[in-house]
Amino acid sequence: MLRRVRFITTAIAPTHAAEAPVHGRADLVPGYRHDAMRRCDVCLIGAGGINGEVGHALIRKGVRSLRIFDADRVELSNLHRQRFFKRDLYENKAIALARNLALEATCVTTIEGIPSTIQDACEWGFDGTCTIACCGVDNDPARVFCARYFARRDTPCVFLGVSADATCGYVFVQASRADAPCWLCLHPEAVDSTEHTPCAAGSTIDILKVVAGVAAYAIDSCIMARRRAWNYKECFLTGDVPERTTRIPKNPHCPACAPKRTDA
């Protein structure tokens, strides 16, 4: 049986009649719909620095449910940039993050920590049905799996990552439309990769917050009318490289979604 830990949070209500509701200011933003967030179920693949910040944004916005997958444990070097505390050391990241995010929730939200990779969880029969997924991991095999898994289920998936020198990061939105490119359209070489970013790679909390903020906006744009004219965005902190915002087309040579050739 797949082990999991579940937390169900309570809503924060106004204390007097004249007080604005907790999400009152958000609902003033053009295109923002809190009711859409209340119907949204999200799978977070990875519970490290980037998805910890994405999860924080979603919990504050009042997402209906959040499932977090990660097989790793909290290490001392995680504490300066990830949403963990001294008490979380050496515990599973998915469980620790679920518990910590529950303390910051603003609505009734179900948060599950699943101490497994998503590949193993699905092999054990886990149903990954959700409104949208967010893949913030440090290895290509997991990214490839998510690209294929959520494409087959017509579920949008947001992919994000940061550079080893912590100066830039990217967000890619794999939409649910049949004509939309998948993550492997962007990185076809990854299909045979066994690459895993080394734990010693540099990272700081600033780039994680920047990329996670863009990812949270992208998630909004998939479930409500917040405007987004791109499916790929790169952010640079140094200023000597211009930000890249573009719409990546479908790759005719993509190993996942390119049309299969039939020989006569």
Side-chain angles (χ1 to χ4, degrees):
M1 179 180 294
L2 182 62
R3 178 187 169 219
R4 65 182 72 183
V5 173
R6 177 178 295 176
F7 302 88
I8 301 177
T9 65
T10 57
I12 301 174
T15 57
H16 54 81
E19 190 173 21
V22 66
H23 294 281
R25 296 284 292 274
D27 283 329
L28 298 176
V29 174
Y32 189 87
R33 293 286 303 275
H34 179 59
D35 58 336
M37 189 62 66
R38 293 299 306 130
R39 297 190 299 269
C40 186
D41 304 307
V42 182
C43 282
L44 287 186
I45 297 89
I50 304 181
N51 265 355
E53 296 296 335
V54 174
H56 173 245
L58 294 172
I59 285 297
R60 291 285 177 146
K61 289 180 176 183
V63 68
R64 179 166 65 183
S65 73
L66 193 64
R67 293 176 186 158
I68 308 169
F69 297 85
D70 203 310
D72 290 343
R73 295 188 178 275
V74 179
E75 299 177 359
L76 187 63
S77 63
N78 299 147
L79 299 188
H80 82 285
R81 69 191 190 283
Q82 300 184 14
R83 301 196 77 84
F84 302 118
F85 304 94
K86 182 179 178 180
R87 70 182 184 213
D88 301 321
L89 282 171
Y90 319 119
E91 187 174 356
N92 172 264
K93 283 187 175 182
I95 291 175
L97 181 60
R99 181 180 59 237
N100 293 341
L101 291 180
L103 299 174
E104 303 192 67
T106 59
C107 291
V108 176
T109 299
T110 300
I111 311 171
E112 289 185 312
I114 302 167
S116 165
T117 65
I118 191 169
Q119 299 99 303
D120 286 344
C122 291
E123 188 174 326
W124 294 332
F126 177 81
D127 180 4
T129 301
C130 59
T131 309
I132 190 167
C134 186
C135 181
V137 295
D138 60 2
N139 66 93
D140 281 343
R143 297 183 185 106
V144 171
F145 180 89
C146 287
R148 289 173 162 164
Y149 181 86
F150 291 107
R152 287 197 302 268
R153 285 156 179 77
D154 296 323
T155 300
C157 185
V158 178
F159 292 82
L160 50 163
V162 298
S163 65
D165 65 358
T167 63
C168 69
Y170 80 91
V171 175
F172 173 74
V173 181
Q174 176 177 300
S176 57
R177 304 187 316 274
D179 63 338
C182 74
W183 185 81
L184 279 163
C185 287
L186 183 64
H187 293 289
E189 74 286 351
V191 70
D192 297 317
S193 174
T194 58
E195 178 186 353
H196 192 290
T197 303
C199 293
S203 188
T204 56
I205 197 169
D206 39 22
I207 188 62
L208 301 177
K209 285 185 175 292
V210 169
V211 174
V214 175
Y217 184 92
I219 290 171
D220 279 7
S221 72
C222 290
I223 64 171
M224 59 183 81
R226 300 199 77 182
R227 184 174 176 273
R228 174 175 52 83
W230 54 270
N231 66 1
Y232 182 80
K233 180 184 281 288
E234 280 183 307
C235 303
F236 297 89
L237 300 184
T238 59
D240 53 359
V241 179
E243 182 180 86
R244 182 186 179 200
T245 302
T246 188
R247 185 166 288 280
I248 300 293
K250 204 171 182 70
N251 185 344
H253 305 293
C254 173
C257 61
K260 301 294 189 295
R261 290 186 56 186
T262 55
D263 296 324

